[in-house]
Amino acid sequence: MKVLVIEDELALLQDIKKYLEGESIVVETASDFRQAIFKISDFDYDCIVVDINLPSGSGFDIVYELKTQKAKAGIIIISARNSLDDKLKGLNIGADDYLVKPFNLSELNARINSINRRRFLDGNNMTTFHEICIDHTAQTVRINDKQVILTHKEFDLLVYFITNKNKVLSQLAIVEHLWADEIEWVDSYAFIYTHIRNLRKKIQDSGCPNYLKSIYGIGYKWEDH
Amino acid sequence: MGRSLNLLSITNRYYLISLSLFFIFAGVLLFYAISYNMNEELDEQLYAEQIHVENAIKSMDHINATPLSLLDNIIVKKTSFAVNIKPEIFDSLMYDDVEKEMIPFRLIRFSAQTTNANYVIVIKESKIETSDLVISIFFSLMLVFGLFCLILYVANSYLNRKIWSPFLETISAIKTLNINNRDVSFKYQTSHIEEFNELNFSLQKMIERIESDYLHMKEFSENAAHELQTPLSIIRSKLESLLQSKNLNNEDAQLIDQALESTVRLSRLNQSLLLLTKIENRQYEQKQEVSFSSVFDKYIEFYNENILENGIEIQLNKYEDFVFEINSTLADLLISNLLSNAIKHNIQDGEVVINIEKGRFEIFNTGEEPTCSTELFFNRFKKGNHLPEHLGLGLALVKEIVETSGLQITYIYENDRHLIMVNKN
């Protein structure tokens, strides 16, 4: 998968690049409007992550440009502006997702993967991880060819873990992923524990090794043995 | 500051006080002046009569009492020896046969001689006219005074309406002014009174300055809040990357995790404040009919897991739907905040009771007794007993929403229950 990240904050850009590359994604970067326009005219990407506030231009214009070029790339807007108006504007002009800063890198990765699946794997929207086979369209999971019944949240968690495999995921990042914009529940870790316990039990009962490692006091890590 | 009076009362009061003083002074002065003049007049009259009497008796050998005593204002006393007293004028109360009472008199006493007799003669003149005059002067003064006050009052009322009307208009224009609402600007009519025009002009200048300052401040706080998000996201991505580092011991990882948590709280705080500012600035003006019953349904479903997790029993009584014209985003924020508070600040296996009625709804929930007055929870950053991670902005947000939407909220704690009531104004 090839992703273009357009972001003027170099420090953030570096981290995004590093994190995504760790997930075997080819990452190209652009740190200003001109550079971004050049890159999107010259190359094709699977996904474009674009910041709204760029020096010498708006991220919205890049989205317009992509749409006029009829580019097939998925578009994720990242912005410090958490207003409904901006979100609606972004989505209306053709962005696929809108992520408010500050965000977790694992979240960005999950969103990129999700968009990628939706856009390019039409019909055959599957993820396989060893004996685990996830059908994103039907929202079903088969382990060792046997269907495992997961709740909506457990399914979501499993996809999130596998997308961010081998990464330490803090409880915080998990809560934010599951309960996206709910300000007041940031501190409630108790119930993610319940979901994770149930998910782990269901997977192990189906004959999987314990991929999901608890990291005491911090969070979890899905390990690829 | 004491009780304030309006301009008219104040001016009237001062006019009355100064006029009363003036009238008292004038009355006293007038009284003495008139009395003095009357006495002078009487004295002259008495002297004239004295001369007249003296001339009359000069050629007589003795006074035949009859013709003189016919004039009952002359008293003649015969003395056995010659007295020579100087004519003397004095006041005295005497019984008057006509008036049948004691009345003041002005008298003159002098000695007179006929060819072979000595007399002391007293001539008296009634002063009753003088007193009557003083009384009538007093009453006419009172009348003038009363009329004066009446005219003053009428004139002042008229003046107040006429002259001060631009001033009163200015006041009502200021009252309706809302810095948030640019549609209602400060409008005034030019009057023919220079001072008022100057006042209005200065006011307009001042309001323009306040408006521009306010706008700048709003822009500044919004920009500041947005600008904060970028460094925060850098901190967060750095910490997250650090967390992935292979040779990280558990202790360090926990430190990083705690730092991460704080950045999240910081950015949430920032967002909440931004939201609060937006509500305050009335940027959620678009209203529609919202059924609170369905908003409650939505959020009870939304918090279902948290409800189950805490073993909370939730009871939703819809006696009648509460439909209200409100911005739908604000309605969502209001209910989600109240509901999440009721669940979060509850006890294990507690309960939440929601009653929806026409024009109002109430939420009861079990929970620990608050350590301070419940009204204080509406203040920003006021937190309850525990949950340090809680931002302390939830109820401030709720209050802001309620106030800008024309609702009313009451929060009380009784019978071990927190009760929040929201009703139409």
Side-chain angles (χ1 to χ4, degrees):
Chain A
M1 195 181 355
K2 199 169 156 194
V3 173
L4 173 66
V5 182
I6 308 164
E7 163 67 62
D8 61 316
E9 288 291 337
L10 293 176
L12 187 59
L13 191 59
Q14 263 173 22
D15 289 328
I16 295 173
K17 185 173 156 74
K18 201 172 140 203
Y19 191 97
L20 295 180
E21 279 173 349
E23 297 299 323
S24 332
I25 295 174
V26 179
V27 182
E28 293 249 352
T29 59
S31 58
D32 65 44
F33 189 77
R34 246 165 45 97
Q35 217 179 345
I37 292 291
F38 283 147
K39 288 206 173 173
I40 58 169
S41 334
D42 292 350
F43 307 100
D44 283 330
Y45 298 94
D46 297 314
C47 187
I48 291 165
V49 177
V50 56
D51 185 16
I52 290 292
N53 291 321
L54 290 171
S56 70
S58 158
F60 287 128
D61 293 331
I62 293 175
V63 180
Y64 280 128
E65 182 61 29
L66 282 166
K67 288 293 141 185
T68 39
Q69 288 185 12
K70 300 201 183 334
K72 277 197 284 175
I75 303 165
I76 297 177
I77 290 176
I78 49 175
S79 167
R81 297 196 167 259
N82 184 18
S83 82
L84 198 61
D85 290 344
D86 281 344
K87 270 183 205 176
L88 288 178
K89 186 182 176 192
L91 298 178
N92 278 337
I93 61 174
D96 298 272
D97 210 339
Y98 189 105
L99 198 54
V100 179
K101 284 183 186 176
F103 50 79
N104 290 298
L105 297 174
S106 55
E107 186 62 34
L108 179 63
N109 181 36
R111 304 262 183 125
I112 290 171
N113 275 281
S114 156
I115 284 173
N116 203 45
R117 279 194 305 269
R118 285 210 303 266
R119 295 185 80 87
F120 298 102
L121 304 169
D122 34 12
N124 183 26
N125 194 352
M126 308 281 273
T127 305
T128 312
F129 179 87
H130 297 291
E131 60 273 65
I132 303 172
C133 190
I134 302 169
D135 183 339
H136 296 281
T137 318
Q139 300 241 317
T140 52
V141 177
R142 296 181 80 81
I143 298 174
N144 293 320
D145 277 334
K146 265 178 71 185
Q147 176 123 7
V148 179
I149 306 295
L150 296 181
T151 65
H152 183 73
K153 285 267 185 308
E154 286 160 6
F155 180 84
D156 201 349
L157 267 175
L158 181 65
V159 173
Y160 180 65
F161 281 135
I162 291 177
T163 313
N164 289 293
K165 59 181 176 290
N166 294 325
K167 289 276 156 67
V168 176
L169 300 172
S170 62
Q171 288 175 317
L172 191 86
I174 299 169
V175 169
E176 285 202 299
H177 174 73
L178 290 184
W179 287 274
D181 281 329
E182 270 316 295
I183 291 170
E184 288 294 310
W185 293 96
V186 183
D187 49 327
S188 308
Y189 294 150
F191 51 93
I192 63 163
Y193 174 70
T194 319
H195 290 296
I196 287 169
R197 191 185 54 202
N198 292 342
L199 175 66
R200 187 186 265 149
K201 190 169 178 297
K202 284 180 185 173
I203 292 170
Q204 279 178 305
D205 286 353
S206 312
C208 280
N210 183 16
Y211 294 118
L212 190 58
K213 288 275 170 355
S214 297
I215 299 169
Y216 178 74
I218 297 161
Y220 301 89
K221 186 177 180 181
W222 187 270
E223 283 187 339
D224 190 356
H225 291 288
Chain B
M1 221 175 76
R3 197 166 64 93
S4 67
L5 295 162
N6 66 33
L7 208 57
L8 177 68
S9 318
I10 296 274
T11 39
N12 273 348
R13 172 183 282 190
Y14 284 120
Y15 273 135
L16 273 175
I17 291 171
S18 49
L19 277 177
S20 308
L21 288 174
F22 170 74
F23 274 95
I24 289 168
F25 176 74
V28 170
L29 195 73
L30 220 58
F31 175 78
Y32 281 108
I34 289 167
S35 302
Y36 179 77
N37 276 325
M38 296 300 287
N39 281 347
E40 286 284 285
E41 196 66 31
L42 280 174
D43 291 356
E44 269 174 36
Q45 210 179 319
L46 288 171
Y47 284 127
E49 279 182 53
Q50 179 199 356
I51 292 163
H52 183 70
V53 169
E54 278 172 347
N55 286 341
I57 63 173
K58 213 178 270 173
S59 51
M60 296 178 186
D61 56 345
H62 75 280
I63 294 173
N64 185 357
T66 338
L68 270 178
S69 56
L70 280 176
L71 305 163
D72 72 351
N73 65 333
I74 302 179
I75 304 151
V76 179
K77 235 177 179 178
K78 196 175 174 195
T79 50
S80 46
F81 49 90
V83 277
N84 197 7
I85 49 170
K86 275 175 139 186
E88 178 193 19
I89 288 177
F90 58 97
D91 288 325
S92 176
L93 278 176
M94 293 173 90
Y95 187 80
D96 187 84
D97 288 329
V98 184
E99 302 275 338
K100 305 254 184 264
E101 58 178 350
M102 301 292 279
I103 58 164
F105 278 95
R106 189 96 175 148
L107 305 116
I108 187 164
R109 182 166 49 206
F110 59 94
S111 56
Q113 285 93 36
T114 55
T115 43
N116 48 13
N118 293 311
Y119 297 93
V120 170
I121 297 171
V122 173
I123 304 172
K124 61 177 183 179
E125 280 298 335
S126 161
K127 277 178 77 179
I128 191 87
E129 291 88 357
T130 324
S131 319
D132 286 349
L133 199 67
V134 169
I135 287 167
S136 70
I137 285 170
F138 176 74
F139 277 112
S140 20
L141 259 179
M142 285 306 288
L143 191 72
V144 170
F145 182 60
L147 272 173
F148 206 92
C149 288
L150 190 74
I151 288 166
L152 194 73
Y153 177 76
V154 172
N156 233 346
S157 307
Y158 176 75
L159 283 180
N160 193 49
R161 263 201 304 276
K162 187 85 181 168
I163 296 178
W164 291 97
S165 75
F167 183 70
L168 298 176
E169 267 169 37
T170 302
I171 289 180
S172 71
I174 296 171
K175 271 185 192 158
T176 55
L177 199 70
N178 178 2
I179 302 288
N180 270 321
N181 190 349
R182 305 282 291 170
D183 303 337
V184 186
S185 62
F186 178 67
K187 281 193 280 287
Y188 65 88
Q189 285 170 345
T190 36
S191 84
H192 53 276
I193 297 169
E194 202 188 320
E195 280 85 350
F196 288 154
N197 283 337
E198 216 168 293
L199 172 75
N200 284 331
F201 182 71
S202 320
L203 270 174
Q204 198 187 24
K205 281 267 169 246
M206 190 179 79
I207 289 162
E208 275 166 12
R209 208 169 51 238
I210 291 172
E211 271 175 345
S212 92
D213 282 357
Y214 179 74
L215 211 69
H216 282 138
M217 199 194 69
K218 228 166 72 174
E219 267 171 22
F220 172 79
S221 50
E222 244 186 273
N223 287 340
H226 285 134
E227 291 307 317
L228 263 177
Q229 300 291 70
T230 307
L232 272 172
S233 53
I234 294 170
I235 296 172
R236 205 154 149 187
S237 71
K238 294 288 168 204
L239 289 172
E240 221 186 326
S241 306
L242 198 57
L243 205 59
Q244 309 306 334
S245 154
K246 292 279 179 291
N247 37 23
L248 201 67
N249 66 35
N250 201 309
E251 230 168 88
D252 294 340
Q254 283 195 34
L255 288 178
I256 295 166
D257 188 57
Q258 282 158 13
L260 254 174
E261 247 175 69
S262 294
T263 62
V264 172
R265 268 170 60 196
L266 199 56
S267 64
R268 299 268 162 164
L269 185 67
N270 200 15
Q271 280 175 15
S272 299
L273 283 172
L274 206 59
L275 185 63
L276 210 53
T277 316
K278 276 186 183 168
I279 298 171
E280 270 178 357
N281 294 346
R282 294 169 199 268
Q283 286 173 330
Y284 291 95
E285 285 289 78
Q286 211 170 28
K287 291 180 175 181
Q288 65 188 80
E289 296 258 303
V290 170
S291 150
F292 276 96
S293 166
S294 46
V295 180
F296 268 111
D297 283 339
K298 181 162 102 190
Y299 282 98
I300 289 172
E301 169 71 27
F302 190 89
Y303 290 127
N304 196 26
E305 278 172 24
N306 314 62
I307 293 165
L308 292 176
E309 187 66 38
N310 297 329
I312 287 165
E313 197 190 317
I314 199 152
Q315 196 186 327
L316 178 61
N317 304 317
K318 297 174 181 174
Y319 297 109
E320 204 171 331
D321 196 1
F322 176 24
V323 180
F324 190 71
E325 190 137 315
I326 187 173
N327 179 286
S328 59
T329 312
L330 293 188
D332 280 9
L333 271 169
L334 175 65
I335 301 305
S336 65
N337 264 294
L338 287 177
L339 205 58
S340 87
N341 264 339
I343 299 163
K344 195 180 216 172
H345 300 286
N346 216 312
I347 48 175
Q348 189 65 35
D349 303 321
E351 61 171 347
V352 175
V353 181
I354 300 157
N355 295 324
I356 305 173
E357 288 163 42
K358 193 173 185 230
R360 66 197 294 263
F361 65 80
E362 50 193 20
I363 305 172
F364 289 91
N365 68 276
T366 47
E368 279 176 36
E369 195 175 339
T371 47
C372 59
S373 160
T374 48
E375 285 301 316
L376 290 177
F377 285 106
F378 290 122
N379 296 345
R380 292 179 189 190
F381 303 113
K382 186 77 202 175
K383 295 175 182 185
N385 310 352
H386 49 97
L387 297 169
E389 301 87 350
H390 184 222
L391 296 176
L393 277 175
L395 280 180
L397 209 59
V398 162
K399 196 184 179 205
E400 205 60 57
I401 294 172
V402 161
E403 278 178 358
T404 53
S405 309
L407 291 166
Q408 230 178 358
I409 190 163
T410 326
Y411 177 11
I412 48 173
Y413 180 82
E414 58 176 20
N415 305 330
D416 304 327
R417 255 158 234 266
H418 295 263
L419 166 61
I420 294 231
M421 283 182 291
V422 174
N423 53 276
K424 274 186 203 168
N425 249 341

